[in-house]
Amino acid sequence: MDQTENPIEELYNLLEVLLKHNVADSSLNAWASALKFNSSNTDEAVSALKEVLLLIERCESAAQHIPGDKELFLTPLRRVQQMLKKQNLTTAWQNSINYLDGATMTGLKYGVYAINQFYPGAQPEKSSSIRDYVRKIDDLLEEFLKSDLPDEVKNLFAKHLHALSSAMTSIRINGVDNLEDTLDTIYGSLYRRSEAIHEASPGNEGIIRKFMDMLGNANELASGWQNASALLTYSSPMLLPLIKTVA
């Protein structure tokens, strides 16, 4: 399911729950209460705490989208990571909670705000646009598979639609770099195979034009993302010989 996310907010909310736990209780019980696992089940405990470490990694990855001094946001994340790696789960929670001092929690709170501003996955209106776009790719893929295009050309377009769908899905988490590389590959491939597409175009102009429009829409969607300026330089001159065949 396509969802927006702010991993630092997820981590912050978890730590807020932990901060309210009885400091005299064991660290294991504190985590078990916050993460909803059975403290007597070792497998559940290991799995749950591993997920927290993975959450921190997601936070670090998301922080890379924040412009400026990223250390402001990475430092509190590393402190939480250090707490997890050094804690003794059998000792009092008080021994671990000291890592979650005011500076650390304030730093995370700033991170929550910054991620909402700059992290692609935290922007609901853009996530919705991506979801709708991917759905249109799926619909167009079905059209291509049912078309009477030669198998060579049909497979070419299907491959590019799959790649475009994957790149557009990952943009929510990784930004536009993968999309930019994917568009480079698609444009280059279409240019190299323009003769075969030209030969197959009679009677299939409509569906080929839909594909070209889909590429243009990818550029438009990407234009609102951080570091998307390079995508705005894409233009049609390189593809004019191909596009004219379906105009």
Side-chain angles (χ1 to χ4, degrees):
M1 183 169 65
D2 186 66
Q3 295 178 329
T4 60
E5 64 165 20
N6 184 328
I8 296 183
E9 183 174 29
E10 185 178 340
L11 178 63
Y12 181 85
N13 290 339
L14 171 62
L15 298 178
E16 282 277 274
V17 173
L18 285 165
L19 283 170
K20 296 175 183 176
H21 196 82
N22 183 357
V23 295
D25 201 359
S26 70
S27 293
L28 178 59
N29 285 339
W31 284 107
S33 177
L35 297 172
K36 310 300 181 187
F37 66 83
N38 185 345
S39 61
S40 64
N41 188 315
T42 302
D43 288 340
E44 286 187 18
V46 171
S47 178
L49 292 174
K50 182 179 179 181
E51 285 299 316
V52 178
L53 288 171
L54 292 175
L55 172 59
I56 294 173
E57 290 181 8
R58 283 169 46 214
C59 291
E60 291 173 333
S61 176
Q64 299 305 316
H65 292 271
I66 303 173
D69 185 4
K70 295 175 178 57
E71 286 300 312
L72 294 173
F73 308 98
L74 294 174
T75 297
L77 292 173
R78 290 173 185 146
R79 186 162 175 81
V80 178
Q81 191 175 55
Q82 186 180 35
M83 176 190 72
L84 271 164
K85 291 181 176 180
K86 290 189 174 183
Q87 70 181 345
N88 183 333
L89 292 174
T90 64
T91 61
W93 173 233
Q94 177 68 63
N95 296 331
S96 297
I97 204 173
N98 292 330
Y99 283 90
L100 306 180
D101 55 19
T104 298
M105 295 302 291
T106 298
L108 289 173
K109 200 163 188 178
Y110 278 120
V112 171
Y113 171 78
I115 289 297
N116 280 333
Q117 301 302 308
F118 299 104
Y119 180 49
Q123 301 175 42
E125 70 285 355
K126 291 176 181 176
S127 284
S128 177
S129 296
I130 295 301
R131 182 192 61 230
D132 292 342
Y133 182 88
V134 170
R135 186 182 297 121
K136 289 178 181 178
I137 291 179
D138 291 339
D139 292 342
L140 184 57
L141 179 59
E142 282 297 313
E143 271 194 70
F144 267 103
L145 295 178
K146 293 176 181 177
S147 73
D148 59 359
L149 283 164
D151 286 345
E152 176 191 359
V153 177
K154 185 184 299 185
N155 291 337
L156 174 69
F157 281 107
K159 179 182 73 173
H160 291 328
L161 285 171
H162 277 301
L164 191 58
S165 177
S166 177
M168 292 304 295
T169 300
S170 70
I171 196 176
R172 293 173 53 250
I173 299 174
N174 301 316
V176 300
D177 289 347
N178 185 44
L179 176 58
E180 183 175 10
D181 291 341
T182 299
L183 287 172
D184 274 333
T185 299
I186 292 174
Y187 283 137
S189 174
L190 293 177
Y191 183 71
R192 290 191 302 272
R193 292 168 176 79
S194 59
E195 185 175 344
I197 296 172
H198 174 75
E199 292 176 356
S201 64
N204 293 293
E205 294 88 352
I207 194 170
I208 295 176
R209 167 59 66 182
K210 285 182 181 180
F211 179 85
M212 297 302 172
D213 290 342
M214 191 69 75
L215 291 182
N217 290 338
N219 283 336
E220 291 175 13
L221 280 174
S223 68
W225 300 88
Q226 182 194 8
N227 299 327
S229 58
L231 293 180
L232 300 180
T233 64
Y234 279 107
S235 55
S236 59
M238 183 177 75
L239 295 178
L240 277 178
L242 172 61
I243 293 175
K244 285 178 179 178
T245 69
V246 295

